[in-house]
Amino acid sequence: MTEHVNTGFERGTDGPKVILAGVDGSESSLRAAAYAAGLARRQNALLALVYVQPVMAAGAALGAPVGGATEEIAEGLVAEIREWAERLKGVYDVRWQFHTFRGDPYAGLVSAAQELTADAVVVGASEQAGHRIVGSVAVRLVKAGRWPVTVVP
């Protein structure tokens, strides 16, 4: 009989330690964050809430205030999340952090998941009709095959 020797950590085999939820202020992303918070609570994992701040578009270089608008979105999300966390204190005891990454949503979430060593990624279903044709961030994350991905409608 051979003895099994553990040769190291394998992501996702012993329950998640870091659950990443992508948030952008949309209803589906906030539902995804709530779902991820429940997972994190049950698994005693860290909830990493990630907002991907869009990079400045070419038109923004001509003076459109895109950078400031995305900063406001990030600040608004932090305020909303803090308020939500305060309301749930005592009901749900969840350790959480908020992170902002830059880039397009897919690349930003991939960078975040790698940097934060996420064991699972939770995102909201795309609310944009065009994504049904081109492919949503969620579909691209699933196809990347690096993490278990949960898509919350």
Side-chain angles (χ1 to χ4, degrees):
M1 186 165 145
T2 59
E3 189 178 313
H4 175 72
V5 177
N6 187 357
T7 57
F9 172 77
E10 187 175 333
R11 188 175 310 228
T13 57
D14 192 28
K17 297 294 176 219
V18 178
I19 297 173
L20 184 151
V23 292
D24 62 7
S26 67
E27 285 296 318
S28 67
S29 81
L30 296 176
R31 284 191 299 272
Y35 181 84
L39 287 176
R41 180 184 57 81
R42 288 187 296 279
Q43 296 289 334
N44 195 27
L46 173 68
L47 173 62
L49 298 165
V50 174
Y51 169 63
V52 180
Q53 188 173 12
V55 291
M56 210 164 36
L62 301 173
V66 173
T70 59
E71 287 293 334
E72 285 176 25
I73 291 170
E75 288 169 18
L77 282 170
V78 170
E80 258 185 78
I81 291 162
R82 285 214 166 103
E83 182 182 309
W84 171 68
E86 280 301 312
R87 281 196 315 253
L88 296 178
K89 240 183 198 167
V91 178
Y92 292 113
D93 190 19
V94 178
R95 294 176 300 122
W96 64 277
Q97 298 173 343
F98 182 84
H99 300 273
T100 302
F101 283 77
R102 290 184 175 272
D104 70 88
Y106 170 75
L109 288 174
V110 166
S111 294
Q114 288 171 335
E115 187 174 313
L116 301 170
T117 27
D119 295 296
V121 177
V122 181
V123 292
S126 175
E127 296 176 354
Q128 297 179 10
H131 284 177
R132 290 187 188 95
I133 300 161
V134 178
S136 68
V137 171
V139 169
R140 292 174 68 193
L141 287 167
V142 169
K143 286 183 179 179
R146 296 184 197 166
W147 313 271
V149 177
T150 303
V151 183
V152 177

